[in-house]
């Protein structure tokens, strides 16, 4: 089969890799934020997978993506977004939802497999970068991008610059605390992710007697008016709204763009989040922050990873 020779064939291309708790994806993306048709590939990761099994999945999608590249396409680098925490200094990742990977050298793996220079950043920063480059946050100078899915990630833009932080984990909004620890030590159940990520909301609904198993089934139950599903979605929205209000108090956000599979559980979710921000905001200046859906659907993480190469001037 002949390879695709679209307009993107003649523009600089970046290999984009997105690693999460459920899957890894790779694609080629041009310098106008377009995913090259036919180059997008995915493989399962999964919390029960082995370290080598996850690494093999990453290698496989890279190989498939590069094999599908248009003839003569100029590959200028590889951008990698990963669930965190990460270490920019060491190029390693320790995703909370992938227990088998602790200090895994992901940047080296991608560099060796692709043969091009590789830039690693937190997946939440990639979401923010994508929305600012080509999505719902164009034109804003202080904003946050969020993904609500298996986990909850985020990235920050402050006064026109992406925020990386000391270790590369700035913007990790899923790990902000919403409740006081009842026991000593680490307790992820009191974080935004521990409360509002898709699997946590499903678990909560099941504890209240809901008989379903997945986020998709919860969405269907919500549409059918199931009271437990409605309460579960409201619980999710409440936690997200509280988290956004807290970040607004810290950096005075203009806008927040939210993507990820669970963010699409119902269109009502965004109204409920806005209502919560208005209800709980500790400062009168916070209500009115724009809270909008991602404009990039499920391509956002890949576009953002490619932006690490194509929009490198914005990086901290």
């Amino acid at each position: 089969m002949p390879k695709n020779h679209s307009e993107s064939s003649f523009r600089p291309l970046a290999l984009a890799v997105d690693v999460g708790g459920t899957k890894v994806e790779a694609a080629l993306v041009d310098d106008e934020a377009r995913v090259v048709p036919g180059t997008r590939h995915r493989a399962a990761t999964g919390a029960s997978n082995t370290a080598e099994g996850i690494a093999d999945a990453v290698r496989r999608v890279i190989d498939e993506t590069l094999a599908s590249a248009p003839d003569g396409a100029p590959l200028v680098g590889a951008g990698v977004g990963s669930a965190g925490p990460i270490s920019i200094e060491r190029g390693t990742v320790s995703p909370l939802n992938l227990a088998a990977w602790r200090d895994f050298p992901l940047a080296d793996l991608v560099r060796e497999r692709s043969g091009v220079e590789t830039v690693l950043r937190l997946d939440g920063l990639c979401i923010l970068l994508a929305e600012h480059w080509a999505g719902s946050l164009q034109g804003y100078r202080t904003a946050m991008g969020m993904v609500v899915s298996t986990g909850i990630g985020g990235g920050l833009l402050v006064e026109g610059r992406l925020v990386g932080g000391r270790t590369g984990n700035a913007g990790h909004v899923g790990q902000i605390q919403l409740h006081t620890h009842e026991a000593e030590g680490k307790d992820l159940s009191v974080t935004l992710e521990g409360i509002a990520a898709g699997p946590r909301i499903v678990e909560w609904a099941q504890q209240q007697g809901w008989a379903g198993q997945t986020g998709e089934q919860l969405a269907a139950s919500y549409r059918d008016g199931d009271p437990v599903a409605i309460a579960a979605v409201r619980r999710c929205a409440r936690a997200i709204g509280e988290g956004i209000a807290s970040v607004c108090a810290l950096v005075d956000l203009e806008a927040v763009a939210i993507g990820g599979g669970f963010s699409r559980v119902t269109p009502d979710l965004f109204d409920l989040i806005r209502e919560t921000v208005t209800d709980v905001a500790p400062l009168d200046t916070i209500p009115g922050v724009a809270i909008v859906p991602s404009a990039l659907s499920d391509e956002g993480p890949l576009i953002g990873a490619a932006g690490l190469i194509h929009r490198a001037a914005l990086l901290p």
Side-chain angles (χ1 to χ4, degrees):
M1 177 181 291
K3 294 185 179 181
N4 186 297
H5 289 273
S6 66
E7 182 182 346
S8 295
S9 305
F10 307 102
R11 305 196 66 88
L13 301 181
L15 171 66
V17 181
D18 174 57
V19 179
T22 304
K23 67 182 186 317
V24 55
E25 286 196 284
L28 297 176
V29 181
D30 72 15
D31 60 352
E32 293 188 348
R34 296 177 299 196
V35 176
V36 178
T39 68
R40 184 175 178 180
H41 300 275
R42 71 172 59 183
T45 52
S48 62
N49 208 340
T50 65
E52 189 56 27
I54 301 168
D56 281 343
V58 175
R59 296 185 189 100
R60 186 162 66 253
V61 296
I62 290 173
D63 290 349
E64 291 171 348
T65 291
L66 294 179
S68 61
D71 290 335
L75 187 62
V76 295
V80 184
S82 174
I86 67 171
S87 170
I88 291 177
E89 181 181 4
R90 300 192 303 273
T92 60
V93 302
S94 303
L96 294 177
N97 294 309
L98 290 176
W101 268 13
R102 290 296 174 264
D103 295 321
F104 185 85
L106 179 58
D108 286 346
L109 183 154
V110 175
R111 184 181 300 111
E112 292 166 4
R113 203 69 178 184
S114 66
V116 294
E117 189 57 38
T118 297
V119 178
L120 168 70
R121 290 294 187 274
L122 199 64
D123 57 356
L125 186 99
C126 293
I127 290 286
L128 179 280
L129 176 53
E131 295 295 337
H132 184 258
W133 181 15
S136 297
L137 298 177
Q138 295 179 75
Y140 289 107
R141 287 184 54 79
T142 300
M144 180 168 67
M146 290 182 68
V147 57
V148 180
S149 187
T150 305
I152 294 180
L156 288 170
L157 178 83
V158 177
E159 297 299 337
R161 294 285 293 177
L162 297 174
V163 179
R166 176 174 56 88
T167 63
N169 291 286
H172 222 306
V173 66
Q175 307 314 316
I176 64 173
Q177 286 185 213
L178 297 185
H179 299 293
T180 301
H181 290 207
E182 294 184 357
E184 294 183 3
K186 187 182 299 185
D187 181 2
L188 297 181
S189 72
V190 302
T191 65
L192 174 55
E193 180 174 285
I195 296 168
R200 305 292 81 76
I201 288 295
V202 167
E203 288 173 4
W204 182 87
Q206 290 170 335
Q207 291 166 3
Q208 313 311 307
W210 179 69
Q213 299 293 322
T214 67
E216 291 81 3
Q217 291 170 344
L218 188 70
S221 294
Y222 182 92
R223 290 193 298 271
D224 292 340
D226 181 280
V228 174
I230 291 171
V233 170
R234 288 185 174 275
R235 176 181 172 85
C236 177
R238 180 82 179 182
I240 293 171
E242 289 177 356
I244 289 172
S246 294
V247 177
C248 284
L250 186 65
V251 295
D252 201 12
L253 296 172
E254 299 172 77
V256 180
I258 306 175
F262 203 79
S263 74
R264 297 187 286 274
V265 65
T266 170
D268 296 347
L269 183 69
F270 284 82
D271 287 336
L272 294 169
I273 293 170
R274 296 181 190 107
E275 290 172 8
T276 297
V277 171
T278 299
D279 182 40
V280 307
L283 300 173
D284 292 341
T285 56
I286 291 173
V289 59
I291 301 172
V292 297
S294 166
L296 301 173
S297 187
D298 61 353
E299 290 186 343
L302 292 169
I303 291 171
L308 299 174
I309 304 300
H310 292 310
R311 307 276 287 178
L314 290 177
L315 293 181

